[in-house]
Amino acid sequence: MKVSIRLRPSVLDPAGEAIKSAANKLGVDGINSLRIGKLIEINLNGVEEKDIERKIELLCDRLFANKVIEDYEYSFKKIDE
Amino acid sequence: MKVSIRLRPSVLDPAGEAIKSAANKLGVDGINSLRIGKLIEINLNGVEEKDIERKIELLCDRLFANKVIEDYEYSFKKIDE
């Protein structure tokens, strides 16, 4: 399962801005926007299919993202053993 | 353009371990592995198609990832204006 966590568009991203200006100095122009987020990759085992979404939402809400400043999005795939 | 930056498999991820044990306390069992990486999203403008890969590699190499401990992977799509 993959969870992408992004800063909300209204939230400033100073680290992203720093990398953006470093990129300009490296000679890479034309960067309109650059935002840094988090990527959480999880390997879940033995969770029933009907429970998966509920559990993922719980994890995202309570542990992964700060909903005041971040949005999240997830995707998962089943791996047969 | 999206760049995913992951810790190399051989590198410990204490923050990931902390979230994993917090998830257990929340009642989500069955997490085999949980790793935290970075997700960098960039909007590039006016870069010629033949230069894109070279520029992305340069950015990943020099700015985004620490190749001693991290691997990166990128994907991009063209957006017509």
Side-chain angles (χ1 to χ4, degrees):
Chain A
M1 174 182 117
K2 259 189 195 184
V3 183
S4 303
I5 295 160
R6 299 179 174 88
L7 285 171
R8 291 185 173 229
S10 56
V11 176
L12 293 174
D13 178 7
E17 291 299 317
I19 288 192
K20 195 166 135 183
S21 68
N24 285 333
K25 283 180 199 138
L26 260 184
V28 180
D29 300 319
I31 297 181
N32 274 340
S33 72
L34 189 157
R35 309 274 289 176
I36 304 177
K38 277 184 289 185
L39 176 72
I40 301 183
E41 287 173 314
I42 307 166
N43 217 315
L44 262 176
N45 213 346
V47 176
E48 283 186 60
E49 223 157 328
K50 64 178 171 55
D51 293 335
I52 286 182
E53 296 226 19
R54 196 179 49 79
K55 294 210 168 180
I56 294 177
E57 292 275 353
L58 176 72
L59 290 175
C60 289
D61 257 37
R62 300 279 298 272
L63 294 178
F64 299 163
N66 174 349
K67 287 204 293 180
V68 178
I69 56 166
E70 292 167 328
D71 287 322
Y72 61 80
E73 182 187 87
Y74 58 79
S75 64
F76 53 91
K77 61 176 180 219
K78 201 176 162 183
I79 301 166
D80 287 313
E81 279 152 282
Chain B
M1 176 181 113
K2 260 189 194 185
V3 183
S4 303
I5 296 161
R6 297 178 176 89
L7 285 171
R8 291 185 173 230
S10 57
V11 176
L12 293 176
D13 178 6
E17 290 300 316
I19 287 192
K20 195 166 134 183
S21 66
N24 284 333
K25 282 179 201 140
L26 260 182
V28 180
D29 301 319
I31 297 181
N32 274 341
S33 72
L34 188 157
R35 309 274 289 174
I36 304 177
K38 278 183 290 186
L39 175 72
I40 301 183
E41 288 173 313
I42 307 166
N43 216 314
L44 263 175
N45 212 346
V47 175
E48 284 186 60
E49 223 159 325
K50 63 178 172 52
D51 293 335
I52 285 181
E53 296 226 20
R54 195 180 48 80
K55 294 209 168 179
I56 294 177
E57 293 274 354
L58 177 72
L59 290 175
C60 289
D61 257 37
R62 301 280 296 276
L63 294 179
F64 298 163
N66 175 350
K67 287 204 293 179
V68 178
I69 55 166
E70 292 167 327
D71 287 323
Y72 61 80
E73 181 188 88
Y74 58 78
S75 64
F76 54 91
K77 61 175 180 220
K78 204 179 162 182
I79 301 167
D80 287 312
E81 281 152 282

